[in-house]
Amino acid sequence: MHHYGDELSLRIVDVSRVHALDDDATIAALMVQLVERVGMRILAGPLVGTEQGGPLQSGKSAVLILAESHAALHTYPELGQAFFNLFSCKPFDESTVLATLTEFLGDFTVEERALVQRGDGWPQQLHAAAEHWRRDRGAARDA
């Protein structure tokens, strides 16, 4: 048994191209290019929405639903900051993620970074998944 996948979460600050954080077309292109470059498949999106309010609320949120899981970006143009999240059952190269973010957003500082292995004990092969399901189903029936 292995873990299900990796989840990368970033908070970036001091984004040099702050205008890109408020541009639907740039954000959509960034999301599509990023997941394609790390070899993932888009099932739905990108969906980009706008939130109005003060500097701590206003910005854009974008999401892609992937065959491998999801990717999300939340921007705060007035602050020059963003949060990025990629969760995938397929391994990916973090340096490709950072290079693509830099290409679209310019220079920035990574203020927070977390790379977490999610789904410990998740069966990776169909046979193992079927056995796991049978065990759980049998245990529930016997309870």
Side-chain angles (χ1 to χ4, degrees):
M1 300 238 199
H2 303 282
H3 71 284
Y4 177 81
D6 294 327
E7 182 174 21
L8 174 65
S9 296
L10 302 169
R11 175 178 169 221
I12 59 174
V13 302
D14 301 324
V15 174
S16 65
R17 293 186 195 145
V18 291
H19 64 280
L21 297 175
D22 202 29
D23 183 72
D24 289 22
T26 300
I27 291 169
L30 159 63
M31 297 294 285
V32 169
Q33 285 296 311
L34 191 147
V35 298
E36 287 179 352
R37 289 176 184 173
V38 294
M40 296 178 194
R41 298 165 292 146
I42 298 169
L43 295 179
L47 176 63
V48 180
T50 303
E51 174 68 30
Q52 303 296 328
L56 298 177
Q57 292 85 31
S58 65
K60 304 285 183 178
S61 290
V63 66
L64 284 173
I65 300 171
L66 306 173
E68 298 80 10
S69 198
H70 73 268
L73 178 69
H74 306 284
T75 72
Y76 299 87
E78 292 181 53
L79 302 176
Q81 298 187 28
F83 289 93
F84 176 77
N85 180 262
L86 177 60
F87 182 32
S88 174
C89 60
K90 179 181 181 183
F92 57 88
D93 180 17
E94 184 177 348
S95 65
T96 301
V97 170
L98 291 169
T100 306
L101 288 169
T102 301
E103 178 184 333
F104 282 85
L105 303 178
D107 293 330
F108 55 81
T109 301
V110 176
E111 183 74 12
E112 297 173 19
R113 175 198 173 273
L115 181 62
V116 180
Q117 292 183 338
R118 303 287 306 271
D120 286 338
W122 186 268
Q124 293 290 319
Q125 298 173 3
L126 182 57
H127 177 71
E131 287 301 314
H132 183 74
W133 178 80
R134 283 188 200 100
R135 249 191 336 273
D136 285 354
R137 183 173 173 220
R141 188 178 42 229
D142 294 339

